[in-house]
Amino acid sequence: MRFEDHCGWIVAQTELLVDGLHGASLTAPVPSCPGWTLGALLRHIGGGHRWATEIVRTRATGFLPDGIVRDVAGDDTGPVPAAWLLDGARELAGALREAGPDAPVWTPFDLGGMPFWARRFAHETLMHRADATLAAAVPFAVSADVAADALDEWMALDAHPIHFDLTPGKRAVLGPGRTLALSADDLPAAWFVDLTGDVNTWRRGGGPAAVTVRAPVQELLLLVYRRRDADGLAIDGDARVLRHWLDHIAFG
């Protein structure tokens, strides 16, 4: 599943991140991460890369403490720590390539070994790059190919049944007639979400749905990650189904 692509995207997205932040203030608030400054966000990103690198390098068989990811307090003076961020991304990509896609390693909820870590941190970095651009008030753009893969990953993770155990209130998302279609208008791709059964399911492709959202795939990705609202998107059908779904989606 594009293991090498995902390893490369970790570094590429970090390069785009630091290239877009020249002159940015680390004290700037991050609108999509309430309570965080840009400095805190960047410490979270770089800490995440280093935490994942340790898991990959040690072929961890269980959870490793993640204080480096969660403890984001620090010094917000000085410039963006570009070299530190790039070093962390390159170390993670290198560790993944050295391990290879078939090496055993712990993942949350047995989600797929080394390929999980490569894909997860490719898109973790991508979405936090979006957060950073909001803080720095600079444009954000992502290629349709990367955005579509990120949306595929989000769909698979959000549909994992473990969410109903972790957040029982998510069951309120299910109900008769609740189907959604997300249709990209800049590439031949669509995503269909079915909330009518005992669990939520999804598939690639369109079809009749209670509500259909049409937009560039980048905007669909930002929508499901709740980095933007639905205002300005083309919505056909029952917008209440869309609002209810967005209120209950659990991942990201």
Side-chain angles (χ1 to χ4, degrees), residues 13-170:
Q13 291 300 321
T14 307
E15 290 172 343
L16 289 169
L17 169 72
V18 300
D19 286 347
L21 294 180
H22 292 301
S25 170
L26 297 182
T27 63
V30 184
S32 48
C33 301
W36 280 14
T37 61
L38 178 59
L41 174 66
L42 298 182
R43 288 187 288 274
H44 173 74
I45 295 169
H49 289 162
R50 286 162 173 81
W51 175 69
T53 297
E54 187 67 11
I55 290 171
V56 170
R57 281 181 176 165
T58 62
R59 311 296 193 268
T61 58
F63 174 81
L64 297 185
D66 62 350
I68 193 173
V69 182
R70 299 182 183 278
D71 299 337
V72 297
D75 184 3
D76 283 345
T77 62
V80 168
W84 179 77
L85 289 163
L86 289 168
D87 285 348
R90 290 166 181 158
E91 288 171 6
L92 175 54
L96 285 160
R97 289 179 173 124
E98 182 178 349
D102 299 324
V105 67
W106 169 82
T107 63
F109 316 121
D110 299 320
L111 285 173
M114 293 296 176
F116 165 82
W117 291 114
R119 195 183 201 192
R120 178 80 293 275
F121 274 90
H123 300 319
E124 171 86 355
T125 309
L126 163 66
M127 295 313 304
H128 282 321
R129 179 168 72 84
D131 294 326
T133 63
L134 288 173
V138 296
F140 170 76
V142 57
S143 71
D145 177 50
V146 174
D149 188 74
L151 192 46
D152 282 343
E153 189 217 24
W154 184 94
M155 289 285 177
L157 292 173
D158 183 67
H160 196 295
I162 192 65
H163 290 301
F164 291 137
D165 295 328
L166 297 176
T167 311
K170 185 178 178 178

Side-chain angles (χ1 to χ4, degrees), residues 109 157-174 198-200 226 245-252:
F109 316 121
L157 292 173
D158 183 67
H160 196 295
I162 192 65
H163 290 301
F164 291 137
D165 295 328
L166 297 176
T167 311
K170 185 178 178 178
R171 290 193 179 278
V173 77
L174 305 173
D198 294 331
V199 295
N200 54 313
R226 292 169 292 185
W245 181 60
L246 292 173
D247 285 343
H248 288 84
I249 50 181
F251 175 74

